[in-house]
Amino acid sequence: MTNLQVKIPTDTWVSATWDEYLETIENPIYAKAKSYYYLGKFRIEMSPVSHDHASDHLLIATANILFCTFKNIDCNGLINCSYRKIGVQEIQPDISYYIGDNANIFPRENSIIDLDTYPPPDLVIEIANTSLSDDKGEKRLIYEDLKVKEYWIVDVKNVDIIAFTMVDGGSKRITESQVLPGLIIDVLKEALQQSRTVSQNQVFASLFSEFQES
């Protein structure tokens, strides 16, 4: 057993080989943790999930499926799914979606998604409470490198959404989703803000009317 597996700092990037990374995440104490590997470093996140983080997670995941339902967009969402390029990269975003032609490309199986076999998700979303600077920095670089089409960061503390489209090996801020055409990011921001003062069913009722009319 390596020293990395016995005790490592969490919520920060640690230098390690791919094998050391795999050995570490197989430790049962990290069974409920999120993990990332990129450029010879890995990060394990074990921060407790707050009420607002959990609520925002559910709201955004559900709102996107609701939008796709109204607009007849094929879409499959995944929560905390692991994606792996063996020996190179691993990601575990809070929410991810395969959209359109990619929505039904996966067979039903109980395994990590192999990015050497399947494309990356079309949309990746990180819910950021204590991890905002990393979500805006290192993780954004990972998603650029993986050629994810779109990346959103939900800023829990500031009740905000920072959305990027991935273009030409980099990323550019957007105010309307490119992979979910017609979805205005400010509509989701307003839903988050509304959720701080009213119940979720009221928020979804407002979104229901918004998506029906748009």
Side-chain angles (χ1 to χ4, degrees), residues 15 23 25 33 38 48 50-52 64 83 85 92 117 119 147-148 162 164 194 196 200:
S15 295
E23 186 179 359
I25 63 171
Y38 182 59
S50 68
H51 170 276
D52 287 350
N64 285 337
Y83 300 87
K85 278 193 172 184
Q92 194 176 357
T117 302
K147 295 181 172 56
V148 168
I162 307 163
F164 300 92
Q194 187 182 12
R196 297 308 194 259
Q200 288 178 340

Side-chain angles (χ1 to χ4, degrees), residues 37-54:
Y37 187 88
Y38 182 59
L39 296 179
K41 296 185 293 183
F42 73 87
R43 175 183 172 98
I44 291 181
E45 297 182 356
M46 297 189 70
S47 299
V49 175
S50 68
H51 170 276
D52 287 350
H53 183 291

Side-chain angles (χ1 to χ4, degrees), residues 7-26:
K7 185 178 180 181
I8 63 161
T10 56
D11 301 299
T12 189
W13 290 92
V14 177
S15 295
T17 66
W18 178 256
D19 287 342
E20 287 173 331
Y21 163 69
L22 291 181
E23 186 179 359
T24 300
I25 63 171
E26 287 168 1

